[in-house]
Amino acid sequence: MYVGLSAWDKKVRGLITDDGQGFDPAHTPTSVGLVGMRERVELLGGSLSVESSPGQGTRISFVLPLCRLFWLKTTPSSAPACACYWSPPNTP
């Protein structure tokens, strides 16, 4: 398994690969996992790619605009939410 994260050109790039059993993305039931990942990445203005085939492992990559992330908590029992915005360099 490999997990990598890098940032340049005002973007954050991530890559996750494994050599597991893989799957056929065209015939995968809509699951909360992959659908949820794609929705979250797209909500932050990014893109997600999933490459896999049976017996060949899986490669998931994403690109997000570099932004400031703030974790917000509305109540003590709620899960944190993420808000994102871009501000030019050298601004508070």
Side-chain angles (χ1 to χ4, degrees):
M1 173 175 255
Y2 171 83
V3 177
L5 189 64
S6 61
W8 74 90
D9 193 30
K10 297 182 184 175
K11 294 184 172 121
V12 175
R13 291 167 171 83
L15 175 63
I16 304 159
T17 64
D18 72 24
D19 57 358
Q21 66 184 17
F23 61 94
D24 182 352
H27 295 96
T28 301
T30 55
S31 65
V32 175
L34 292 174
V35 171
M37 284 193 305
R38 185 173 307 281
E39 286 176 353
R40 286 176 179 86
V41 168
E42 289 176 356
L43 282 172
L44 293 172
S47 61
L48 178 82
S49 172
V50 178
E51 301 170 31
S52 187
S53 60
Q56 300 298 312
T58 302
R59 175 185 172 101
I60 299 173
S61 60
F62 64 88
V63 178
L64 294 170
L66 189 59
C67 61
R68 295 185 180 192
L69 296 174
F70 293 91
W71 292 99
L72 309 172
K73 207 163 185 132
T74 54
T75 66
S77 63
S78 68
C82 179
C84 178
Y85 72 92
W86 167 253
S87 64
N90 302 321
T91 59

